[in-house]
């Protein structure tokens, strides 16, 4: 029997086997195996770095000076060789650091591993990738690059602190769009505990500039289902508001409200021209990853 692909495994089990960088590599290897796709190629005029010569490479871009001086065969890579430019926009506010079960990944841990997998997949096909981490303010910004050293920059950025008590999603989206010099991709990963309209307006602005906007709403299963836990006091991790409730009394109304909120997000972002999907933290990384980068048609990143 064949071994199961990492992108189809339980995310908590997979995360327990390695650190962020290792999990991202496993997920991408499994995802690429399932897609049977090869990286795209292209060249332009802005030099970025060298890479080893591969059979079939255009000899016009072979660096003959290095070949003659060091007997090494390398090809010049160019910044515009990249097929796409993408900015990952990651919400690191306090609500993202919540999980309903200590055995399950927090929303942030899930989103980090998914964002790292997207970044690695795009870097492997020589696309330029950057990162914006935000809560109420921008926590850190990594401009998009396609060089090999970009992966280390991104991994270092993921380890920076976050946890602010609110999130400025619209502001982070607009900032990310300004870092992409030509039409590219802006990918938002957030639990979207904010008003839809400002975010939709920001997405509409980015679409007007020619960018594709992809929004992934990260949710814990308990946020959708409101499981029975007896009498309890529920506390918002950002506003600190506490509400006592019995799940049996409010579950039906709560579930209907959640579905209405998801429909509102889908409609608002759809009108803005953005793509939208929900990712549950108990589902394998492969499904949201395929939505973000492997969809054939408008907005596909590979």
């Amino acid at each position: 029997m064949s071994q199961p692909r990492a992108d189809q495994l339980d995310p908590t089990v997979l995360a327990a086997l390695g650190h962020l960088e290792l999990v991202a590599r496993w997920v991408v290897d499994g995802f690429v195996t399932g897609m049977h796709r090869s990286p795209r190629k292209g060249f332009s005029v802005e030099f970025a770095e060298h890479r080893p010569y591969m059979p079939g490479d255009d000899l016009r871009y072979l660096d003959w000076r290095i070949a003659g001086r060091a007997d090494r065969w390398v090809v010049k890579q160019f910044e515009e060789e990249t097929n796409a430019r993408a900015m990952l926009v990651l919400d690191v506010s306090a609500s993202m650091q919540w999980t309903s079960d200590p055995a399950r990944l927090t929303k942030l841990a899930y989103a980090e591993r998914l964002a790292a997998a997207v970044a690695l997949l795009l870097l492997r096909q020589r696309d330029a990738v950057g990162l914006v981490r935000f809560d109420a303010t921008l926590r850190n910004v990594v401009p998009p690059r396609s060089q090999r050293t970009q992966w280390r920059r991104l991994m270092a950025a993921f380890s920076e602190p976050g946890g602010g008590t609110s999130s400025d999603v619209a502001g982070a989206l607009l900032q990310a769009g300004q870092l992409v010099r030509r039409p590219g991709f802006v990918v938002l990963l957030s639990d979207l505990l904010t008003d839809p309209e400002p975010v939709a307006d920001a997405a509409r602005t980015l679409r007007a500039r020619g960018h594709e906007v992809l929004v992934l709403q990260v949710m814990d299963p308990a946020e959708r289902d409101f499981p029975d836990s007896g009498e309890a006091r529920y506390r918002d991790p950002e506003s600190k508001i506490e509400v006592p409730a019995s799940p049996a009394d409010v579950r039906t109304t709560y579930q209907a409200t959640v579905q209405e909120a998801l429909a509102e997000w889908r409609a608002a972002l759809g009108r803005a021209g953005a793509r939208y999907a929900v990712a549950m933290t108990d589902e394998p990384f492969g499904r949201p990853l395929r939505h973000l980068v492997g969809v054939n048609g408008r907005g596909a990143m590979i």
Side-chain angles (χ1 to χ4, degrees), residues 252-275:
T252 300
T253 302
Y254 174 88
Q255 291 175 341
T257 301
V258 168
Q259 292 305 314
E260 290 173 3
L262 297 181
E264 184 179 2
W265 274 108
R266 185 175 291 105
L269 291 171
R271 290 191 298 269
R275 282 173 42 207

Side-chain angles (χ1 to χ4, degrees), residues 92 131-134 137-142 156-161:
V92 297
L131 175 68
V132 169
R133 295 172 70 256
F134 73 97
T137 61
L138 296 184
R139 286 290 179 168
N140 49 354
V141 176
V142 181
F158 279 119
S159 66
E160 294 293 322

Side-chain angles (χ1 to χ4, degrees), residues 170 194-204 264-265 267-268 271:
T194 187
D195 294 331
E197 286 308 319
V199 180
D201 288 343
R204 189 174 295 107
E264 184 179 2
W265 274 108
R271 290 191 298 269

Side-chain angles (χ1 to χ4, degrees), residues 92-279:
V92 297
S93 61
S95 64
M96 287 287 288
Q97 301 181 22
W98 182 80
T99 178
S100 63
D101 185 344
R104 182 179 294 133
L105 292 177
T106 65
K107 291 182 284 185
L108 179 57
Y110 186 94
E112 285 176 335
R113 283 151 182 79
L114 185 59
V118 172
L120 181 61
L121 183 62
L122 296 177
L123 287 171
R124 282 187 178 181
Q125 64 178 29
R126 300 200 296 273
D127 290 335
V129 185
L131 175 68
V132 169
R133 295 172 70 256
F134 73 97
D135 43 39
T137 61
L138 296 184
R139 286 290 179 168
N140 49 354
V141 176
V142 181
R145 298 286 186 274
S146 60
Q147 290 92 339
R148 297 175 186 175
T149 54
Q150 184 72 350
W151 177 243
R152 292 195 294 273
R153 295 190 190 100
L154 294 173
M155 288 303 99
F158 279 119
S159 66
E160 294 293 322
T165 57
S166 63
S167 54
D168 182 9
V169 182
L173 277 177
L174 294 174
Q175 178 66 31
Q178 293 176 2
L179 294 170
V180 184
R181 292 179 297 179
R182 58 183 174 86
F185 296 90
V186 178
V187 183
L188 171 65
L189 299 98
S190 170
D191 55 9
L192 296 179
L193 298 183
T194 187
D195 294 331
E197 286 308 319
V199 180
D201 288 343
R204 189 174 295 107
T205 298
L206 296 181
R207 291 288 296 136
R209 297 174 184 170
H211 301 310
E212 292 289 346
V213 180
L214 298 83
V215 178
L216 200 68
Q217 184 168 9
V218 183
M219 294 185 67
D220 186 285
E223 293 179 297
R224 175 194 60 194
D225 302 330
F226 202 66
D228 189 0
S229 58
E231 293 287 342
R233 182 177 295 273
Y234 297 90
R235 182 172 182 265
D236 185 334
E238 293 187 358
S239 68
K240 311 302 182 184
I241 295 175
E242 295 186 358
V243 178
S246 170
D249 295 336
V250 301
R251 180 184 295 111
T252 300
T253 302
Y254 174 88
Q255 291 175 341
T257 301
V258 168
Q259 292 305 314
E260 290 173 3
L262 297 181
E264 184 179 2
W265 274 108
R266 185 175 291 105
L269 291 171
R271 290 191 298 269
R275 282 173 42 207
Y276 165 83
V278 176

